[in-house]
Amino acid sequence: MDSRDYIVIEDLYGAHNYHPLDAVLTKGKGIWVWDVENRKYLDFLSGYSAVNQGHCHPRIVKCLQSQAKRLTLTSRAFRNDQWPLLARELSVLTGYEMVLPMNSGAESIETAIKCARKWAYQKKGVPQDQAEIITCANNFHGRTVTIISFSTEPLYRNDFGPFTPGFKVIPYGDAEALRQAVTPNTAAFLVEPIQAEAGILIPPDGYLKAAREICDANNVLFIADEIQTGLGRTGKLFACDHEDIRADIVVIGKSLGGGCYPISATLASREILGVFKPGEHGSTFGGNPLACAVAREALRVIQEEKLVENAAAMGEYFLAELKKIKSRQIKEVRGKGLLIGIELRPEAGGARRFCEELKKEGLLCKETHEHVIRFAPPLIIRLKDLRWAAKRVKQVFKRLG
């Protein structure tokens, strides 16, 4: 079958909840992927940062195969020999005392919300069922009903109500708005250090530090959603590290599974995550030995191959190259590390057509929020490949004006 055959079948039998580019991929290695016609592309999305270590990293694949032959799933009704080691290794790497594993980023955001609420009732003395969590406009934390309850994107909310109460939404990057929103019932402030899905929105310098100080002054938990930005994407282990602040709760996922297996985690102190008691929260697949073994190897690859440092160096180069592009279509180029966006002017006709042209040049990117092209290659990428990519980006902008 060719690409068109697969597309017809998918459109006929699959729910239409995505609008993918028409590249039907069948193989991946490192930063490269191939479609069913054997056309080669540079993956500049990395599975929304889930493939930071590159496609089918041989060490991670070998680990997955080895563990899959031994033990894949026990549920948390029993113990296994991989989860305790992952918990310890994450604690040593990040400095957080406790870890709660789940499968998807949304599940771990839900975990953080439940944890913050219970902490507020048990530790802060907030009246039962009165806890509030402050979030930011243009956020993207997942797609569960509770999470979309505090989204400001109509596409995520329309026809999905009624919504979960208990959330306040304030402008992103506005510390004073946070200060004004806090009440005695505020349990937590949930924020993305960089809003990736919103179009690579970077808050003003000092914003995260100011937010941390406001939370400290009011006994409010600071929750950082580092699902996309964490584990090296922005040139630091966590994006919060750029302002030298430490969140009370950190949520990670995506590249924790090395692009091979879904796993996420919520990290916090013993005082915070310790509020959970047996039976109050969990997941059949959360902490399964296959996921944990893969995550352990994925973390080793990040550290031993110095992917955080590479993201910082390569991101600095690529951002500078993109800023050299002279085009009336470009409003702004912004980013940190290898999380970069080109925001187009409204008259450019949307980012989708640019992504489709980049595909023709062998570069797979994805539009976000209509007017932004996101560039987020695997963190293993080297200078020669970025030069190759930059040349093609420049060609497309020259062609499309």
Side-chain angles (χ1 to χ4, degrees), residues 53 84-99 230-232 236-238 241 246 250 252-253 255-256 265 267-268 295-309:
Q53 298 88 341
L85 300 181
L86 173 62
R88 182 175 65 184
E89 288 161 16
L90 273 172
S91 180
V92 170
L93 175 64
T94 66
Y96 288 96
E97 294 174 317
M98 295 187 86
V99 184
L231 302 180
K236 297 280 189 181
L237 183 66
F238 294 131
D241 295 343
R246 186 171 178 78
V250 174
I252 58 175
S255 66
L256 183 61
L267 316 175
R296 294 178 64 209
E297 190 64 24
L299 291 172
R300 284 191 285 268
V301 167
I302 289 171
Q303 296 170 83
E304 294 169 13
E305 297 189 7
K306 299 189 181 305
L307 299 190
V308 181
E309 296 85 345

Side-chain angles (χ1 to χ4, degrees), residues 50 53 60 64 231 253-264 291 294-295 298:
Q53 298 88 341
I60 300 173
L64 184 149
L231 302 180
K254 295 196 183 292
S255 66
L256 183 61
C260 287
Y261 200 89
I263 180 172
S264 63
V294 167

Side-chain angles (χ1 to χ4, degrees), residues 16-305:
H16 298 173
N17 58 321
Y18 279 92
H19 185 204
L21 289 180
D22 288 339
V24 181
L25 306 179
T26 188
K27 184 175 71 171
K29 183 178 181 181
I31 63 173
W32 302 99
V33 290
W34 288 261
D35 68 13
V36 294
E37 281 84 25
N38 206 36
R39 288 182 289 251
K40 183 180 179 182
Y41 305 93
L42 203 169
D43 180 358
F44 242 61
L45 183 64
S46 305
Y48 298 99
S49 296
V51 193
N52 283 358
Q53 298 88 341
H55 289 276
C56 301
H57 192 291
R59 285 177 53 180
I60 300 173
V61 169
K62 183 179 179 181
C63 173
L64 184 149
Q65 291 171 331
S66 175
Q67 184 63 41
K69 292 175 183 177
R70 197 163 56 246
L71 183 67
T72 57
L73 179 64
T74 60
S75 84
R76 295 294 300 280
F78 312 107
R79 300 181 189 271
N80 69 71
D81 63 352
Q82 292 300 311
W83 156 236
L85 300 181
L86 173 62
R88 182 175 65 184
E89 288 161 16
L90 273 172
S91 180
V92 170
L93 175 64
T94 66
Y96 288 96
E97 294 174 317
M98 295 187 86
V99 184
L100 197 157
M102 298 296 275
N103 308 289
S104 68
E107 283 181 310
S108 283
I109 290 291
E110 291 269 1
T111 299
I113 290 169
K114 289 175 70 175
C115 180
R117 285 176 168 178
K118 188 163 191 194
W119 173 89
Y121 301 135
Q122 292 202 341
K123 304 287 186 176
K124 188 175 178 177
V126 172
Q128 197 64 222
D129 298 334
Q130 298 301 308
E132 298 172 344
I133 293 176
I134 299 171
T135 65
C136 292
N138 301 311
N139 70 75
F140 183 85
H141 298 287
R143 297 183 185 275
T144 66
V145 170
T146 288
I147 292 172
I148 65 167
S149 296
F150 50 85
S151 172
T152 57
E153 172 54 58
L155 182 65
Y156 304 154
R157 290 172 55 91
N158 288 350
D159 296 329
F160 295 123
F163 299 112
T164 307
F167 300 98
K168 284 184 179 178
V169 181
I170 62 172
Y172 184 61
D174 186 340
E176 186 56 34
L178 173 61
R179 194 187 315 276
Q180 295 295 327
V182 171
T183 74
N185 289 347
T186 303
F189 173 52
L190 170 61
V191 66
E192 298 156 277
I194 296 173
Q195 290 188 329
E197 291 301 310
I200 322 299
L201 300 183
I202 301 172
D205 289 342
Y207 169 66
L208 296 177
K209 186 165 285 189
R212 173 74 273 184
E213 290 170 357
I214 293 166
C215 289
D216 287 341
N218 292 278
N219 195 23
V220 169
L221 298 180
F222 187 112
I223 306 174
D225 178 345
E226 297 262 13
I227 294 165
Q228 284 200 49
T229 55
L231 302 180
R233 170 55 58 185
T234 69
K236 297 280 189 181
L237 183 66
F238 294 131
C240 285
D241 295 343
H242 288 285
E243 290 202 17
D244 295 319
I245 68 143
R246 186 171 178 78
D248 297 299
I249 301 175
V250 174
V251 180
I252 58 175
K254 295 196 183 292
S255 66
L256 183 61
C260 287
Y261 200 89
I263 180 172
S264 63
T266 304
L267 316 175
S269 67
R270 198 170 305 280
E271 184 212 0
I272 295 169
L273 264 180
V275 299
F276 283 122
K277 298 298 184 289
E280 291 181 344
H281 187 60
S283 161
T284 297
F285 282 86
N288 73 76
L290 184 57
C292 291
V294 167
R296 294 178 64 209
E297 190 64 24
L299 291 172
R300 284 191 285 268
V301 167
I302 289 171
Q303 296 170 83
E304 294 169 13
E305 297 189 7

Side-chain angles (χ1 to χ4, degrees), residues 308-329:
V308 181
E309 296 85 345
N310 193 60
M314 295 300 99
E316 183 178 4
Y317 165 79
F318 196 62
L319 187 63
E321 285 299 302
L322 294 178
K323 286 184 175 180
K324 293 177 184 175
I325 299 174
K326 303 298 182 185
S327 172
R328 58 189 174 83
Q329 312 284 22

